[in-house]
Amino acid sequence: MSDHALPAVLFVCVHNAGRSQMAAAFLTHLGGDLVQVRSAGSAPADAVNPSVVAAMAEVGIDVSAEVPKVLTVEAVQASDVVITMGCGDTCPVFPGKRYLDWQLPDPAGQGVEAVRSLRDDLEQRIRGLLHEIAPEGRA
C-alpha cells in the first residue's frame, strides 16, 4: 500500500503544545504505519508543555523532541480527518474532509496531575478513532 492510500489525520489546537501533541503521539504510537499523523496550532507555542512531556513519559511515549508547528492550509488539504481541540474558527474548512471537534480542557499552566486525566481521555478517543479509520489496526 502506498503512503497516499493511508488515512491522514491532522490534530489542531491553539498552541500545538498539549492536546494536539498528545493526540498525535498516541495515534502514531497505536497506529504505527497504518496512518499518517500531523499536528499543528493556530498560534504555536515555543515548546511542548513540560507537564504533557512528563505525563506522556509515564505511559512510555516520548514527546520531548516534538516542536509546535504552525497550522497551514497545505496540512489541512493533505488530511482526510481534521480534529480540532479548541481552536475555534481559525481552522480552514475544505469540502470532502471529515471534521471532528473534541471539547477538551487546555493543559496550559496545569501540572502533570491535571494532565493525566486529559491524557487518558485522549488515549481512549484515539483508540476509537483508529478502530474507525483503520479497522485492521491494533487498537
Side-chain angles (χ1 to χ4, degrees):
M1 176 186 289
S2 61
D3 279 354
H4 70 277
L6 296 175
V9 179
L10 171 65
F11 296 100
V12 183
C13 67
V14 177
H15 301 297
N16 190 222
R19 296 165 288 189
S20 55
Q21 290 284 353
M22 286 193 287
F26 271 126
L27 187 54
T28 300
H29 180 73
L30 297 169
D33 56 3
L34 299 174
V35 291
Q36 290 181 327
V37 182
R38 298 177 182 87
S39 72
S42 51
D46 293 330
V48 174
N49 180 329
S51 296
V52 165
V53 173
M56 292 302 286
E58 291 176 353
V59 295
I61 300 174
D62 182 4
V63 296
S64 63
E66 295 299 325
V67 176
K69 294 171 275 313
V70 69
L71 176 64
T72 64
V73 169
E74 293 77 19
V76 176
Q77 289 175 322
S79 301
D80 301 305
V81 180
V82 179
I83 299 176
T84 57
M85 303 174 197
C87 64
D89 298 328
T90 59
C91 188
V93 175
F94 294 97
K97 306 291 177 197
R98 179 175 172 199
Y99 290 87
L100 299 171
D101 184 45
W102 290 355
Q103 297 293 320
L104 297 163
D106 188 343
Q110 302 293 313
V112 71
E113 300 77 18
V115 174
R116 285 184 186 122
S117 63
L118 173 60
R119 174 198 67 200
D120 296 344
D121 181 5
L122 273 168
E123 181 179 10
Q124 292 313 306
R125 289 174 186 247
I126 295 300
R127 287 180 183 278
L129 176 71
L130 185 58
H131 182 70
E132 215 176 289
I133 64 172
E136 71 277 15
R138 304 167 238 190

